[in-house]
């Protein structure tokens, strides 16, 4: 008997059809596997593939986590409230506008539970964070895919794609993988042209790295009374806490009540709550880390452009570059050098690679390996 039963037969027949058809998430290559395959020591492998921030975590955050070791037997209820208040204060909104989550990705998964019935529509770009598509498909959404134009969300085409059954428009600003933002004008145009029954989700996981004046701020639109605007934020990128899983949404209080209703009540661990509180209290660390990322972004942009590549101007902690060659082949050659980047063919960019900004020495090691590969 086969170990694996084909779909549609045996126990697999019980799986809901929309889920059976979802593409599996392809994470960045694993540094331990690359070390084992190449013989390069693990500590010398440079991973610039998952838009992580390798800047050393704030010492005050580490101390806050350590203080929680004595309390691991108890649920983190009161810490949850304290973190919610701190997040609200940091964003200039009342506590009722905040939903905490174990990473913003969990909110991406929960939003379709709130909005989408089978056959409802969502509008998204195929060249964006892949989880929007999978999360929507879980609920049986019909996907309206609006391709990016010149690496940017095509707002007029998105407005045109919205219909009476559109429940969510997924935006990502800065967009992963292109690094482009939705401008203030564009966001306002979109929000004023779609019905109030369409949620406009703006994933701002990379917002702390934005230095463009024209950045569209969903919180301003929310404050102006657009109750369908939802911002998703993360501690994984600017705060370098991807391993702790900490994120949040800023939304209308009615949306927050609903999102909390479908969330596990003790979703965040005590160490994560404590880390979030300490991280929000360490502005100096955030400024230093962000400065390092922006310097690295400028360096990578400059050096890759000097190779004759087309580098998409990025507002994130990563750059997408058109190598004018086979991006996946270059990704493989770099793996042999112990450097992990992201091939971009999955987003429909077969000649591009996406490189996360690392520490200065990691950026230099990537550039040196790249020169050897070319
Ligand atoms: C655009 C975008 N949103 C959300 C996430 C997930 O972030 P978190 O770690 O907060 O779940 C990522 C992770 O890479 C991302 O690129």
């Amino acid at each position: 008997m086969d170990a694996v039963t084909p779909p549609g037969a045996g126990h697999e027949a019980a799986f809901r059809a929309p889920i059976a058809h979802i593409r599996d998430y392809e994470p960045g290559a694993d540094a331990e596997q690359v070390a084992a395959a190449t013989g390069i020591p693990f500590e010398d492998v440079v991973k610039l593939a998952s838009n992580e921030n390798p800047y050393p975590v704030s010492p005050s955050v580490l101390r806050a986590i350590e203080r929680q070791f004595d309390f691991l037997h108890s649920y983190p209820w009161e810490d949850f409230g304290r973190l919610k208040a701190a997040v609200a204060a940091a964003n200039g909104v009342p506590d009722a506008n905040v939903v905490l989550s174990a990473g913003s990705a969990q909110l991406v998964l929960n939003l379709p539970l709130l909005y989408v019935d089978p056959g409802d529509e969502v509008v998204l770009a195929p060249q964006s964070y892949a989880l929007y598509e999978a999360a929507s498909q879980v609920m049986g959404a019909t996907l309206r895919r609006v391709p990016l134009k010149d690496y940017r969300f095509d707002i007029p085409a998105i407005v045109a794609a919205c219909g009476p059954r559109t429940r969510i428009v997924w935006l990502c600003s800065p967009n992963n993988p292109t690094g482009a933002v939705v401008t203030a004008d564009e966001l306002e145009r979109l929000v004023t042209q779609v019905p109030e029954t369409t949620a406009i989700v703006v994933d701002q996981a990379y917002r702390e790295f934005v230095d463009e004046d024209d950045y569209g701020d969903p919180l301003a639109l929310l404050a102006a009374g657009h109750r369908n605007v939802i911002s998703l934020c993360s501690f994984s990128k600017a705060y370098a806490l991807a391993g702790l899983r900490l994120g949040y949404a800023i939304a209308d209080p009615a949306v927050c009540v609903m999102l909390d209703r479908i969330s596990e009540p003790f979703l965040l661990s005590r160490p994560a709550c404590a880390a979030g509180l300490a991280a929000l209290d360490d502005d100096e660390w955030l400024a230093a880390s962000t400065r390092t990322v922006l310097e690295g972004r400028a360096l990578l942009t400059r050096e890759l452009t000097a190779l004759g590549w087309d580098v998409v101007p990025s507002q994130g902690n990563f750059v997408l570059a058109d190598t004018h060659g086979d991006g996946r082949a270059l990704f493989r050659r770099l793996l042999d050098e112990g450097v992990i980047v992201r091939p971009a063919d999955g987003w429909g960019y077969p000649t591009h690679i996406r490189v996360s900004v690392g520490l200065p020495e990691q950026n230099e090691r990537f550039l040196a390996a790249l020169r050897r590969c070319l």
Side-chain angles (χ1 to χ4, degrees):
M1 200 174 82
D2 286 345
V4 177
T5 313
H11 180 64
E12 281 80 349
F15 298 160
R16 289 180 51 236
I19 297 176
H21 291 113
I22 293 173
R23 268 194 306 175
D24 286 331
Y25 180 71
E26 188 196 346
D30 181 74
E32 271 183 45
Q33 282 171 3
V34 171
T38 57
I40 295 170
F42 172 73
E43 53 281 10
D44 290 339
V45 172
V46 176
K47 183 176 178 224
L48 303 176
S50 298
N51 299 344
E52 293 152 339
N53 179 1
Y55 198 81
V57 171
S58 157
S60 64
V61 168
L62 295 179
R63 280 195 299 275
I65 293 172
E66 212 173 345
R67 279 198 294 275
Q68 291 302 313
F69 291 176
D70 289 338
F71 303 101
L72 293 181
H73 62 284
S74 62
Y75 285 109
W77 194 246
E78 67 281 8
D79 300 346
F80 212 76
R82 272 198 287 273
L83 179 58
K84 186 181 274 203
V87 164
N91 285 278
V93 296
D95 296 10
N97 287 85
V98 176
V99 180
L100 299 177
S101 183
S104 56
Q106 185 60 52
L107 290 161
V108 172
L109 285 167
N110 284 0
L111 281 163
L113 302 187
L114 180 56
Y115 287 107
V116 176
D117 275 323
D120 283 342
E121 297 174 5
V122 305
V123 175
L124 48 76
Q127 306 93 345
S128 190
Y129 186 46
L131 202 57
Y132 311 141
E133 191 165 316
S136 305
Q137 283 174 307
V138 166
M139 295 308 294
T142 299
L143 307 180
R144 296 270 173 253
R145 293 188 178 90
V146 178
L148 299 186
K149 194 172 167 189
D150 298 328
Y151 301 110
R152 310 184 63 248
F153 282 93
D154 184 350
I155 300 298
I158 289 173
V159 172
C162 288
R165 290 202 71 174
T166 307
R167 292 289 164 261
I168 300 177
V169 173
W170 294 103
L171 298 178
C172 185
S173 180
N175 184 42
N176 176 11
T178 64
V181 297
V182 178
T183 66
D185 254 13
E186 289 172 331
L187 195 56
E188 180 159 6
R189 230 180 313 143
L190 175 63
V191 169
T192 51
Q193 288 185 64
V194 300
E196 204 188 356
T197 46
T198 300
I200 310 285
V201 178
V202 188
D203 184 341
Q204 297 190 281
Y206 302 96
R207 70 172 178 175
E208 291 85 355
F209 304 121
V210 172
D211 58 3
E212 198 170 292
D213 292 339
D214 206 13
Y215 182 53
D217 177 8
L219 301 193
L221 289 165
L222 192 61
H226 295 286
R227 299 178 57 214
N228 52 337
V229 175
I230 300 168
S231 157
L232 303 184
C233 301
S234 179
F235 281 85
S236 298
K237 311 298 179 180
Y239 292 97
L241 293 175
L244 270 185
R245 313 305 301 127
L246 197 51
Y248 59 91
I250 306 278
D252 183 79
V255 175
C256 294
V257 167
M258 291 294 144
L259 284 173
D260 274 334
R261 191 173 288 174
I262 57 175
S263 169
E264 197 261 289
F266 301 109
L267 191 59
L268 296 187
S269 69
R270 271 187 176 275
C273 288
L277 275 168
L280 288 174
D281 211 26
D282 196 346
D283 293 342
E284 213 175 300
W285 181 93
L286 182 66
S289 155
T290 306
R291 201 178 321 117
T292 304
V293 169
L294 297 201
E295 284 166 8
R297 184 172 79 195
L299 171 90
L300 293 180
T301 303
R302 208 168 47 239
E303 293 293 320
L304 299 184
T305 304
L307 294 174
W309 292 5
D310 290 320
V311 183
V312 183
S314 174
Q315 291 286 293
N317 67 336
F318 51 88
V319 292
L320 180 73
D322 186 349
T323 70
H324 305 299
D326 181 338
R328 189 164 280 271
L330 178 60
F331 154 74
R332 287 205 197 94
R333 286 202 296 279
L334 283 165
L335 281 186
D336 292 338
E337 296 278 341
V339 175
I340 311 173
V341 298
R342 194 69 165 246
D345 48 358
W347 287 290
Y349 297 126
T351 59
H352 297 57
I353 57 169
R354 192 197 67 190
V355 187
S356 307
V357 177
L359 294 171
E361 59 271 26
Q362 294 176 315
N363 300 332
E364 291 299 344
R365 296 227 356 248
F366 157 66
L367 291 168
L370 185 59
R371 286 182 200 109
R372 287 194 295 277
C373 287
L374 292 175

